[in-house]
Amino acid sequence: MGCGGSTQRGPFAPKKLGEETKNKLRTFFNEMDDNKDGKVTKEEAFKFFSTGKFGKLSASAMFNEVDKDTDNEITLDEFISFWEQVRKSGYKEEEIMEEVTEIMKGGQWVDWKDERNVGMKPGEARPSLRSNS
């Protein structure tokens, strides 16, 4: 097929999130948004992650990566935007879906090898790293 084909593969393929992934992320966000006001506060994040290991650490790590405007609230737009930049960093959509599913089941937040950082200080315990290899 020539250059006019609409399906791209390989290193130049578009790295956008599909609707299924966005829907899963909306569900995840809504599970954290305890009072359903369209924002996740640190308190709501602490409550959500409290059932798993390293709950406060996971909530803090998520805020360090996702709360780009540092207003101590995460909006749905910020949340989706975070995952879009993870995808653009080279991760497969399947990897993102798998990790989101694990977090929703009580897993801990992880530090992706992307443009953002969980912001841990040297010597602090940190969530496991995921590579895009």
Side-chain angles (χ1 to χ4, degrees):
M1 185 166 255
C3 294
S6 62
T7 303
Q8 292 183 331
R9 298 185 191 277
F12 301 108
K15 294 185 178 183
K16 295 183 178 183
L17 294 173
E19 277 310 305
E20 182 181 0
T21 302
K22 286 183 182 179
N23 287 336
K24 180 83 166 187
L25 293 171
R26 285 183 196 101
T27 299
F28 180 16
F29 181 88
N30 289 331
E31 284 186 19
M32 289 188 289
D33 183 13
D34 202 34
N35 66 1
K36 306 302 178 209
D37 67 350
K39 300 175 230 166
V40 174
T41 63
K42 282 190 177 182
E43 291 74 26
E44 288 172 318
F46 288 147
K47 183 177 178 183
F48 176 84
F49 284 105
S50 68
T51 60
K53 291 182 180 181
F54 308 109
K56 284 190 176 187
L57 182 63
S58 288
S60 293
M62 180 184 77
F63 261 81
N64 288 341
E65 286 197 287
V66 179
D67 185 21
K68 196 163 183 179
D69 63 7
T70 65
D71 65 352
N72 291 318
E73 296 178 331
I74 296 172
T75 64
L76 181 59
D77 285 343
E78 281 179 306
F79 196 65
I80 298 288
S81 176
F82 167 76
W83 291 103
E84 286 174 339
Q85 68 83 33
V86 168
R87 177 73 178 103
K88 289 175 185 172
S89 293
Y91 289 94
K92 295 177 185 170
E93 201 154 351
E94 296 80 26
E95 294 172 310
I96 293 169
M97 287 284 280
E98 188 177 300
E99 194 60 45
V100 167
T101 299
E102 287 303 310
I103 295 169
M104 290 174 72
K105 289 180 181 177
Q108 63 190 11
W109 186 263
V110 297
D111 186 13
W112 297 81
K113 291 187 178 184
D114 58 3
E115 297 173 359
R116 302 187 192 175
N117 191 301
V118 295
M120 297 292 135
K121 295 175 186 163
E124 279 186 328
R126 100 186 250 156
S128 61
L129 294 174
R130 299 279 190 245
S131 69
N132 60 352
S133 52

